[in-house]
């Protein structure tokens, strides 16, 4: 970056940081995540380090926070409230420790390690043991008077205890909201239809900065003290550890999860241990704070304008981050299911760069209304696919439009079928590149065309090499082509060719099932074969005709019709037939005793199995349906029939038993067990 570019960027960063600092510190309503803010801040620090002349006095790097809100009376801190520098890696921590040791000329330094609570810093002033004033940090020099609100925090003593109470004590600590209290508060807010808080930090800040202390009092706020400003007329602890124990003796709350550790290795062990326990802690933390233990050493090290040299925050990688949606892509899975995926401007989440997040399915996408150009917060939990938590509506570009879900498969151009529920599926199962392996595997499976020896590995090799593009290509495979594949002997090659050969003679039902038509399983394939008897009749049936098939509703009918109207699918079917795939024509009952009647089976028949009964009824020309309606002619009920009988009685549909079915069969001269 040359100087002119750097100067322009620095000016831009100052405007951005001032804006976001105001939203965060003054309005309690941040638009960007802490990690995004940190990133901008570090970028400015970096530029100012390279070009020191660009560092102006009003740069956000030159002060602690933003200006205090005018809503509360300003309070000047007796000693400024400093902030902390950050490190994000073990290496940066090692560098911090080295700088400390170099300045002190010490071979090893002891630190007190404390959880870095995610709340709001306060300074509470006690005079002669009594709480006289509490203030927020504000800009570090001047804060806001929140005495009335802090007095409502039950863990904050109104009077100090013990026998060595100092005349003046300005204690520093963090006001926070425990996870459990946060969850209860949000549940309550939800019940009352009031605004939910994004996280415990925002809830704590919003609760503390309430103009009405009665509201603060109802909020589950807590306090942990971790340091002091002015201290006079009492003992002066010689170390951070002694200081914290002293504060405890005065009746102040101090976090018990702290530890005194030796050197950089000790710090790191503490960090790793706390990171492991993080999810179980009753409060949210965003890292660890290490403080040089010895107060004498702290004095030697001194302070920078914004932060002490004797303390540092070691931040956990963010588990949520805000980034921009660059595009929305639709991926086609191996089963033809279409999944929308947001392509993100890469962002670090929980220590990993994230550039994609799943949007699950078209319905979810429409419900969330995620648009290209939107800013979103993304979450990563463990190894799961990153997810979009929220869309930042206030940052939506004016020209962003709702995403239009494709009606054609982005891979093969076939129509997209919307299944009941939430799934969208490509109807080009026989031709779609994304589905080839799965399609061939299914075609060859045992209950389909049953091609023995055509296993997963072989299908993979044949499809990936491009040799098999559709299932029809299987029928002109030559033995020497198979022999050229990895781990293929002459015997197995010959056996596979033979199995392919054998599969040419099949049944219509198996063939239909093998095609992998969306929503058509074995039972539906059987019903279709029985109903139409031949492929031509089925392929030319419209959706209305399809719904006359037992158990085929409008959704399945639509999927079947879409499949057969796809020209590529028809071409593959033609190729299969040209390759000699055939089946005997299906005998269709005509003019049967029950022709044109709709029958529903329910309960367990003593006379025959459910399948036998269904086949027998269909043999008599009946349509067997699964639910009772006005159009049902008979219900045949066995033992434990369930609600279908009640429904039939309601509608006045005759309810018969297995004996009547047997009588019909006898009348038609049929044996039920055949
Ligand atoms: S010490 C001079 N100790 O983190 C030292 N700060 O990023 C100043 N914080 O403003 C702070 N837990 O709001 C310290 N155990 C802890 C802390 C802690 C949380 C917050 C505090 C501070 C900010 C600095």
């Amino acid at each position: 970056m040359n100087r002119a570019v750097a100067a322009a960027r620095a000016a831009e960063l100052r405007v951005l940081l001032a804006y976001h600092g105001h939203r965060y510190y003054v309005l309690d309503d941040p638009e960007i995540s802490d990690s995004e803010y940190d990133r901008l801040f570090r970028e400015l620090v970096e530029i100012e380090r390279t070009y020191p002349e660009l560092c102006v006095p009003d740069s956000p790097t030159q002060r602690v926070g933003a200006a205090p809100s005018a809503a509360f009376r300003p309070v000047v801190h007796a000693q400024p409230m400093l902030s902390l520098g950050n490190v994000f890696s073990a290496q940066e921590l090692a560098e911090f420790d080295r700088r400390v040791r170099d300045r002190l000329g010490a071979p090893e330094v002891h630190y007190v390690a404390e959880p870095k609570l995610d709340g709001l810093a306060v300074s509470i002033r006690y005079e002669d043991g009594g709480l006289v004033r509490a203030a927020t940090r504000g800009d570090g020099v001047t804060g806001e008077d929140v005495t009335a609100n802090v007095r409502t925090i039950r863990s904050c003593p109104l009077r100090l205890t013990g026998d060595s109470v100092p005349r003046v004590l300005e204690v520093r600590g963090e006001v926070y909201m425990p996870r459990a209290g946060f969850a209860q508060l949000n549940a309550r807010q939800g019940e009352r239809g009031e605004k939910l808080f994004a996280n415990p930090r925002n809830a704590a800040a919003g609760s503390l900065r309430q103009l009405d202390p009665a509201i603060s009092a109802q909020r589950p706020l807590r306090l942990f003290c971790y340091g002091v400003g002015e201290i006079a007329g009492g003992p002066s602890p010689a170390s951070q550890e002694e200081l914290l124990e002293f504060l405890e003796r005065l009746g102040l709350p101090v976090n018990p999860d702290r530890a005194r550790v030796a050197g950089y290795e000790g710090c790191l062990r503490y960090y790793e241990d706390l990171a492991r326990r993080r999810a179980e802690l009753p409060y949210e933390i965003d890292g660890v704070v290490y403080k040089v233990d010895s107060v004498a050493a702290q004095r030697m090290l001194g302070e920078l304008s914004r932060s002490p040299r004797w303390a540092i925050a070691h931040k956990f990688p963010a588990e949520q981050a805000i980034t921009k949606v660059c595009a929305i892509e639709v991926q086609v899975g191996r089963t033809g299911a279409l999944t929308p995926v947001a392509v993100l401007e890469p962002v670090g989440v929980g220590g990993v760069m994230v550039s994609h997040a799943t949007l699950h399915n078209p319905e979810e996408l429409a419900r969330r209304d995620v648009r290209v150009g939107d800013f979103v917060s993304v979450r990563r939990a463990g190894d799961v696919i990153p997810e979009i938590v929220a869309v930042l509506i206030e940052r939506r570009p004016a020209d962003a439009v709702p995403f239009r879900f494709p009606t054609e498969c982005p891979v093969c151009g076939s129509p997209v079928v919307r299944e009941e529920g939430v799934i969208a599926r490509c109807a080009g199962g026989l031709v779609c590149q994304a589905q080839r392996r799965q399609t061939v595997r299914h075609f060859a499976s045992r209950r389909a065309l049953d091609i023995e020896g055509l296993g997963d590995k072989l299908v993979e090799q044949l499809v990936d090499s491009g040799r098999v593009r559709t299932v029809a290509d299987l029928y002109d495979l030559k033995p020497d082509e198979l022999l050229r594949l990895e781990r293929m002997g002459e015997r197995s090659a010959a056996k596979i060719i033979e199995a392919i050969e054998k599969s040419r003679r099949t049944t219509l039902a198996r063939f239909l099932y093998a095609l992998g038509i969306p929503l058509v399983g074995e039972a539906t394939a059987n019903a279709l074969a029985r109903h139409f008897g031949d492929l031509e009749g089925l392929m030319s049936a419209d959706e209305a005709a399809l719904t006359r098939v037992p158990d085929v509703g409008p959704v399945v009918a639509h999927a079947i019709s879409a499949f057969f109207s796809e020209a590529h699918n028809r071409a593959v079917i033609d190729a299969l037939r040209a390759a000699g795939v055939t089946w005997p024509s299906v005998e269709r009952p005509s003019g049967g005793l029950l022709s044109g009647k709709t029958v529903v089976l329910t309960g367990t028949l003593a006379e025959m199995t459910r399948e036998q009964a269904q086949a027998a009824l269909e043999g008599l020309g009946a349509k067997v349906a699964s639910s009772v309606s006005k159009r049902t002619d008979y219900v045949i009920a066995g033992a434990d029939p369930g609600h279908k009988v009640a429904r039939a009685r309601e509608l006045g549909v005759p309810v018969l038993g297995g004996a009547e079915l047997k009588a019909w069969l006898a009348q038609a001269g049929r044996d039920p067990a055949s």
Side-chain angles (χ1 to χ4, degrees):
M1 209 190 284
N2 68 34
R3 198 185 167 286
V5 175
R9 180 63 181 156
E12 187 181 355
L13 286 168
R14 268 179 226 124
V15 172
L16 278 172
L17 287 165
Y19 174 75
H20 291 300
H22 179 255
R23 295 216 55 119
Y24 186 89
Y25 290 109
V26 180
L27 305 178
D28 294 333
D29 188 16
E31 273 176 19
I32 61 174
S33 67
D34 293 6
S35 55
E36 195 176 350
Y37 184 91
D38 282 345
R39 200 153 45 78
L40 295 173
F41 196 92
R42 279 160 75 90
E43 193 189 338
L44 183 55
V45 169
E46 200 49 51
I47 293 174
E48 289 176 350
R49 193 154 67 206
T50 317
Y51 301 100
E53 71 277 18
L54 292 179
C55 182
V56 294
D58 72 354
S59 169
T61 61
Q62 299 307 296
R63 61 187 171 117
V64 178
S69 147
F72 298 92
R73 240 167 10 95
V75 174
V76 177
H77 303 299
Q79 273 189 29
M81 286 182 79
L82 297 177
S83 185
L84 290 171
N86 292 321
V87 295
F88 292 87
S89 65
Q91 197 199 327
E92 287 177 314
L93 173 62
E95 286 161 14
F96 166 79
D97 177 56
R98 166 150 300 282
R99 284 196 301 274
V100 167
R101 284 186 289 116
D102 285 353
R103 278 187 180 263
L104 295 175
E108 186 179 65
V109 173
H110 280 83
Y111 298 93
V112 170
E114 304 166 7
K116 186 174 187 301
L117 267 83
D118 212 3
L120 203 75
V122 291
S123 180
I124 307 170
R125 188 175 173 91
Y126 290 89
E127 287 175 8
D128 299 319
L131 192 164
V132 295
R133 181 132 296 113
T136 63
R137 185 173 67 194
D139 64 4
V141 175
T142 310
E144 296 168 321
D145 191 327
V146 286
T147 311
N149 298 338
V150 166
R151 286 176 68 99
T152 69
I153 300 172
R154 292 195 209 17
S155 53
C156 176
L158 298 178
R159 179 153 287 281
L160 299 177
T161 56
D163 47 18
S164 43
V165 173
R167 193 174 51 73
V168 175
L169 174 70
E170 219 178 62
V171 71
R172 303 294 164 70
E174 197 83 352
V175 170
Y176 69 98
M177 193 176 286
R179 288 180 204 273
F182 169 71
Q184 278 163 19
L185 171 63
N186 255 359
R188 212 164 61 208
Q189 294 282 107
E191 276 163 25
R192 296 181 187 164
E194 277 169 46
K195 177 182 144 220
L196 300 189
F197 293 100
N199 53 49
R201 201 211 80 85
N202 285 355
S207 302
L208 191 66
R209 298 176 71 260
Q210 275 289 335
L211 283 171
D212 179 1
I215 295 178
S216 301
Q218 288 161 19
R219 302 285 171 84
L221 293 174
R222 293 268 194 301
L223 171 74
F224 272 143
C225 298
Y226 47 64
V228 292
E230 185 182 356
I231 175 167
S236 350
S239 68
Q240 172 72 5
E241 191 177 41
E242 281 176 27
L243 170 70
L244 295 179
E245 284 164 1
F246 173 56
L247 296 178
E248 279 181 324
R249 283 200 301 278
L250 293 173
L252 291 159
V254 180
N255 195 332
D257 292 320
R258 63 189 188 269
R260 184 174 190 269
V261 297
Y264 142 82
E265 283 91 359
C267 291
L268 213 56
R269 263 199 301 279
Y270 177 90
Y271 174 89
E272 275 157 10
D273 175 59
L274 201 67
R276 263 193 299 277
R277 290 167 46 210
R278 183 179 181 186
E280 292 143 38
L281 294 172
Y283 44 77
E284 281 201 357
I285 56 175
D286 58 354
V288 171
V289 182
Y290 310 113
K291 297 170 184 170
V292 170
D293 189 34
S294 153
V295 170
Q298 290 178 5
R299 291 217 181 90
M300 276 176 73
L301 289 161
E303 270 113 46
L304 295 162
S305 65
R306 183 175 182 258
S307 49
R309 282 205 196 85
W310 47 266
I312 198 90
H314 189 176
K315 299 283 274 282
F316 290 135
E319 283 170 337
Q320 262 189 30
I322 290 170
T323 189
K324 189 171 159 182
V325 177
C326 304
I328 294 174
E329 283 178 357
V330 174
Q331 294 180 350
V332 185
R334 284 177 309 161
T335 62
L338 270 60
T339 308
V341 171
V343 182
L344 307 170
E345 209 158 80
V347 64
V349 188
V352 178
M353 286 311 276
V354 165
S355 56
H356 293 87
T358 178
L359 295 162
H360 301 289
N361 56 58
E363 199 162 283
E364 178 72 3
L365 170 58
R367 193 179 65 73
R368 314 279 302 263
D369 187 23
V370 177
R371 304 182 183 185
V372 175
D374 270 343
F375 282 85
V376 292
S377 66
V378 287
R379 171 173 54 205
R380 222 189 109 256
D383 289 332
V384 304
I385 308 167
E387 261 191 330
I388 290 180
V389 187
V391 178
L392 308 182
I393 298 294
E394 66 280 4
R395 287 179 79 182
R396 169 169 285 169
D399 58 353
V401 290
F403 183 71
R404 298 227 345 237
F405 205 81
T407 51
E408 283 167 7
C409 171
V411 173
C412 72
S414 301
V416 169
V417 180
R418 291 293 278 269
E419 292 178 10
E420 214 161 7
V422 294
I423 297 179
R425 209 179 286 280
C426 163
L430 290 180
V431 286
C432 185
Q433 212 173 329
Q435 302 174 64
R436 272 180 199 161
R437 281 188 191 176
Q438 172 90 4
T439 304
V440 175
R441 239 182 262 146
H442 173 75
F443 185 82
S445 65
R446 207 168 50 77
R447 306 172 86 97
L449 288 212
D450 191 20
I451 306 177
E452 227 187 296
L454 198 63
D456 289 1
K457 263 248 89 68
L458 183 54
V459 169
E460 211 175 294
Q461 291 183 61
L462 291 170
V463 169
D464 294 359
S465 67
R467 177 58 188 87
V468 169
R469 292 199 324 268
T470 78
V471 287
D473 293 335
L474 291 171
Y475 290 96
D476 56 40
L477 278 176
K478 306 282 178 301
D480 56 320
E481 287 177 304
L482 291 181
L483 274 172
R484 264 182 262 129
L485 298 172
E486 260 175 72
R487 273 175 288 148
M488 178 67 71
E490 257 175 63
R491 282 259 305 278
S492 17
K495 275 175 105 172
I496 290 162
I497 296 289
E498 199 189 311
I500 293 175
E501 188 59 43
K502 218 176 84 191
S503 74
R504 285 194 165 101
R505 297 198 57 78
T506 183
T507 65
L508 177 56
R510 276 180 177 267
F511 182 76
L512 292 176
Y513 173 62
L515 292 178
I517 305 165
L519 302 179
V520 175
E522 257 185 299
T524 308
N526 274 317
L528 289 169
R530 252 190 254 121
H531 186 89
F532 288 99
D534 57 42
L535 187 60
E536 289 67 33
L538 167 59
M539 285 176 68
S540 54
D542 60 14
E543 290 182 29
L546 287 165
T547 51
R548 283 196 285 275
V549 178
D551 284 345
V552 171
V555 176
V556 176
H558 178 67
I560 297 169
S561 161
F563 182 88
F564 286 121
S565 52
E566 173 57 38
H568 296 106
N569 289 341
R570 296 177 88 105
V572 174
I573 291 168
D574 287 347
L576 284 168
R577 305 206 74 181
V581 176
T582 61
W583 49 84
S585 59
V586 180
E587 192 197 319
R588 263 205 306 170
S590 59
L593 193 65
L594 296 179
S595 128
K597 302 285 186 218
T598 300
V599 181
V600 171
L601 282 165
T602 179
T604 317
L605 294 174
E607 294 80 2
M608 59 190 98
T609 66
R610 166 74 65 119
E611 287 70 32
Q612 284 170 339
Q614 173 157 353
L617 285 163
E618 283 167 354
L620 294 173
K623 169 177 163 169
V624 179
S626 59
S627 63
V628 181
S629 73
K630 285 199 303 267
R631 291 199 305 272
T632 309
D633 294 290
Y634 305 105
V635 168
I636 297 182
D640 303 323
H643 67 279
K644 285 179 190 166
V645 166
R647 179 91 183 113
R649 298 237 156 88
E650 242 173 70
L651 295 169
V653 174
V655 179
L656 314 174
E660 275 95 341
L661 176 54
K662 276 190 81 172
W664 279 337
L665 290 170
Q667 203 180 331
R670 287 180 188 243
D671 174 0
S674 69

